[in-house]
Amino acid sequence: MSSQQAEHSGRGLSAGAIALVLMLCLSWGFNQIAVKLALPDVPPMLQALIRSAGALPVMLFAGWLRGVKFFEPDGSLVPGLVAGTLFGIEFVLIFTGLVFTSASRAAVFLYSAPFFVALGSYQFLGERLSLLQWSGLGLSFTGVALAIGVPQPNVDAKVLLGDLLIVAGGALWGATTLIAKGTKLRNAAPEKALGYQVAISIPILGCASWLFGEKITHMPSALSIALLAYQAIWVVGCTFVIWFALIKRYSPSKLSSFTFITPLFGVVAAYFIMHDTLTVAFGVAALLVIAGLYLVNKPDPKVMPDPV
């Protein structure tokens, strides 16, 4: 690992980066609501396929405007192909897991990803979290679990299988983050780095949708079409590119710790859009998440602050 890479791998988040990550988490939190609202018209695996297929031209156009040379050899092909394969399998695992487990349990176990990022950052990027930062991750995860309402009764072997599949999806999410940070993929433009993943996920998701026998049996409503456009153009085409740009510059474990906020935003969105009930437990959970994020991102007094 180069000295520049080591410097970036441990870099704390600036105020601007934190604002961007919060915006991403808000978008991703609403994305879960968008998926649920479109399910009556479009099956989940097909939604993921349409999302990737719609996002790819958006990223190609954005990259073209910025002068990105998508087909210029830069050493990113192999890690890009690996990341793309993991990206596609990740969504297959997540959507398969949702068949067996509840959406609330899935939300909790999917956000095990920061733990895999932290472990991988230590093993492969030379970044090490302190005991205080590990405690922060634990507090945040506890907050998410409390907000979503786990543990739940009536958990059988099928539910546990679904949980395991979701955790595997979270592990692959963490793995793609580490590949983007720790290989030559980090030197590629964000549009190119994500383009590998989106392009390769299309045939993977298409095959999975065919194997699961998913079909669109009627013309989707205008709302469903708008929600699919939101997922493709904004969530994947824009926010994922921003995420990869941030990964290239900042500590991946600290960035991933902020994703704990995403399901909390999802609960708030469900309250306003789907009229779900907010409880005192949610307020306590929010405090736990905020406290955990503070501990994870608490500056090390031995390290000079980043002026950026």
Side-chain angles (χ1 to χ4, degrees):
M1 181 175 60
S2 67
S3 59
Q4 183 181 16
Q5 183 175 343
E7 175 187 354
H8 287 333
S9 69
R11 172 174 290 178
L13 273 63
S14 67
I18 291 174
L20 277 176
V21 175
L22 290 175
M23 181 270 293
L24 298 181
C25 291
L26 178 61
S27 301
W28 296 339
F30 177 76
N31 184 63
Q32 307 305 315
I33 307 300
V35 172
K36 290 182 179 180
L37 290 175
L39 278 177
D41 292 330
V42 185
M45 211 78 72
L46 273 175
Q47 279 197 51
L49 172 61
I50 294 171
R51 183 177 67 174
S52 290
L56 185 59
V58 174
M59 285 182 294
L60 292 175
F61 180 70
W64 176 75
L65 289 177
R66 293 204 316 119
V68 175
K69 298 178 180 179
F70 286 98
F71 302 103
E72 183 178 79
D74 57 4
S76 67
L77 178 61
V78 172
L81 293 175
V82 174
T85 302
L86 296 180
F87 185 81
I89 298 173
E90 171 194 335
F91 285 102
V92 173
L93 290 172
I94 291 171
F95 285 120
T96 304
L98 283 168
V99 174
F100 301 106
T101 192
S102 66
S104 60
R105 293 179 66 88
V108 172
F109 291 114
L110 177 59
Y111 286 87
S112 61
F115 289 95
F116 293 108
V117 173
L119 288 172
S121 294
Y122 170 72
Q123 291 291 330
F124 304 111
L125 303 183
E127 178 182 353
R128 186 170 184 175
L129 271 67
S130 67
L131 178 61
L132 193 65
Q133 291 172 315
W134 277 110
S135 299
L137 284 171
L139 276 178
S140 293
F141 188 77
T142 301
V144 171
L146 180 60
I148 305 298
V150 294
Q152 297 175 346
N154 303 323
V155 174
D156 57 18
K158 288 185 177 180
V159 173
L160 293 176
L161 173 60
D163 294 342
L164 182 61
L165 292 172
I166 298 297
V167 170
L172 292 185
W173 180 11
T176 56
T177 299
L178 293 169
I179 291 172
K181 183 72 176 182
T183 69
K184 290 185 178 180
L185 194 60
R186 73 183 301 272
N187 298 320
E191 296 90 346
K192 182 174 182 178
L194 185 60
Y196 282 119
Q197 300 188 43
V198 173
I200 295 173
S201 73
I202 291 174
I204 294 175
L205 292 168
C207 290
S209 177
W210 175 73
L211 289 173
F212 279 86
E214 292 187 347
K215 296 179 180 179
I216 298 178
T217 58
H218 57 274
M219 179 65 184
S221 66
L223 175 61
S224 294
I225 294 174
L227 293 172
L228 288 171
Y230 168 79
Q231 294 181 57
I233 297 173
W234 173 244
V235 174
V236 180
C238 295
T239 68
F240 282 12
V241 172
I242 296 172
W243 172 253
F244 267 78
L246 290 171
I247 287 174
K248 286 160 63 69
R249 184 171 181 81
Y250 294 101
S251 162
S253 59
K254 292 182 179 180
L255 279 171
S256 291
S257 71
F258 270 85
T259 60
F260 280 116
I261 296 179
T262 302
L264 298 182
F265 280 141
V267 172
V268 174
Y271 171 76
F272 286 107
I273 298 172
M274 306 183 76
H275 307 294
D276 288 355
T277 302
L278 291 182
T279 64
V280 175
F282 176 81
V284 176
L287 292 176
L288 288 174
V289 171
I290 293 171
L293 291 175
Y294 171 76
L295 293 178
V296 171
N297 291 278
K298 187 177 181 180
D300 187 341
K302 298 179 181 179
V303 179
M304 293 296 293
D306 186 358
V308 179

